[in-house]
Each structure stands twice: as C-alpha cells, then as structure tokens.
C-alpha cells in the first residue's frame, strides 16, 4: 500500500479543522451528522477536538455506482437520526467525489427541518465533481486516485488503516 497521507498529517489537520469549526460556531450547539460508514474515523477524531456543546448522529447513504454508472441512484436511510428540526447541523463525509451524495443528503437534512447545514469532508478529489457543491471544511485536496484507509473502503475492506493509501495496481 502506498501512503498518500500519513496518520500524523491527518491528526494535525483534523485538529486544525476542529479549532476552525469551534471558532465558527461561537459556542453555539452543533449536531454532527456523519454519513456511514466512511465517516467513522474522521467523525470520531474530529468531535473529540471540537470544544462546543455537541450532539452526534448518523445516517447512511448508499450509491449504486457498481450497478449502473448513469442512474445515480442513492438510498438515504435515517432511522437512527433524532429529531433535528431547528438544529444546526455539521454534516461529515469521508470524501467529496462527484458531489452527488452530499448534495442529496444536505437537501434531505433541510427537508427534516435543520436550521442550517454546514459540510465537512476529510478529502476532496480534484477534477471529479459533476454537480456544483462547495463544502465548508476540507481536510485535504487529493489527485484523482482511488484511496482507502481512515474510513474509506474498497469493497468494504481497508477502512481500519490509520493512514490514507492508494492500492497499487
Ligand atoms: P460522490 O457522491 O460521488 O461524491 O461519492 C462520495 C462517496 O463515494 C464517498 O462517500 C465514498 O464512499 C465513495 N468514494 C469516492 N471516491 C472514493 C475513493 O477514492 N475511495 C473510497 N471511496 C470513495
Ligand atoms: Mg463509501
């Protein structure tokens, strides 16, 4: 496995993002919503550094890119989400690729009555975005390579790696 971003660099950047987020919310309560499963490590590490009154919840969003590349089907499941009406949401995902997932999940949370939705992603891939979408917080901008580790998977494997890596081929 080739290491693209070492664990130490992730840790340093996550601390910076947490400080930036805490400053932006000025002590106001935030509800962090992670998109499972990729958000796992980013969410766990980030929330431990955010000095704010904070709730955390999760949703799932599964795309079917393997099945049909063109349909862009996305299934959002939010049975585990508490009532978020009137709450300020910080939505977290592992990576911004085409932008379709985050665009739809943001719309879904607004639909559920969120007072505001800001978005943080650990990674943003260059040259892949298909829908205009501007995240509020970005950890790292990366080249158009398929990455794994720190929550990101290939066929549900490699999520546990403490670094971001590229599978050699
Ligand atoms: P989008 O809707 O195309 O932006 O897709 C975002 C989702 O695709 C992420 O939440 C990941 O689950 C997955 N994804 C995109 N690129 C990668 C990658 O390089 N490695 C692993 N998963 C990826
Ligand atoms: Mg995924």
């Amino acid at each position: 496995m080739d290491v693209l971003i070492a664990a130490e660099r992730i840790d340093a950047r996550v601390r910076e993002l947490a400080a930036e987020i805490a400053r932006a919310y000025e002590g106001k309560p935030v509800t962090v919503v992670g998109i499972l499963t990729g958000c796992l490590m980013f969410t766990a590490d980030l929330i431990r550094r955010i000095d704010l009154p904070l709730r955390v919840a999760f949703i799932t969003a599964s795309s079917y890119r393997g099945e049909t590349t063109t349909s862009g089907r996305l299934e959002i499941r939010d049975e585990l989400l508490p009532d978020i009406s009137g709450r300020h949401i910080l939505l977290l995902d592992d990576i911004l690729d085409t932008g379709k997932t985050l665009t739809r999940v943001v719309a879904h949370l607004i639909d559920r009555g969120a007072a505001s939705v800001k978005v943080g992603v650990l990674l943003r891939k260059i040259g892949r975005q298909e829908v205009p979408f501007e995240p509020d917080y970005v950890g790292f901008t990366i080249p158009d390579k398929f990455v794994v580790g720190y929550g990101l998977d290939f066929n549900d494997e490699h999520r546990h790696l403490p670094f971001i890596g590229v599978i050699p081929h």
Side-chain angles (χ1 to χ4, degrees), residues 103-159:
T103 302
R104 294 194 202 172
V105 174
V106 168
H108 186 82
L109 296 175
I110 298 281
D111 209 50
R112 294 269 143 175
S116 71
V117 181
K118 286 190 177 190
V119 174
V121 291
L122 180 72
L123 306 174
R124 179 184 201 167
K125 240 189 241 187
I126 292 277
R128 288 276 305 165
Q129 236 176 290
E130 292 174 23
V131 291
F133 185 89
E134 273 313 307
D136 300 277
Y137 305 99
V138 176
F140 301 92
T141 298
I142 63 163
D144 184 6
K145 288 185 175 153
F146 196 85
V147 292
V148 296
Y150 198 74
L152 292 121
D153 72 301
F154 175 65
N155 281 343
D156 273 323
E157 283 189 275
H158 312 301
R159 292 195 199 274

Side-chain angles (χ1 to χ4, degrees), residues 36-38 61 93-95 151-153 159:
L36 292 171
T37 305
D93 202 1
D94 50 3
I95 187 165
L152 292 121
D153 72 301
R159 292 195 199 274

Side-chain angles (χ1 to χ4, degrees), residues 4-34:
L4 184 67
I5 308 172
E8 295 73 23
R9 281 182 65 204
I10 298 173
D11 181 61
R13 185 66 185 126
V14 167
R15 283 166 192 266
E16 285 176 2
L17 288 176
E20 202 184 318
I21 289 162
R23 274 197 304 275
Y25 281 87
E26 298 175 311
K28 286 188 225 104
V30 61
T31 300
V32 171
V33 175

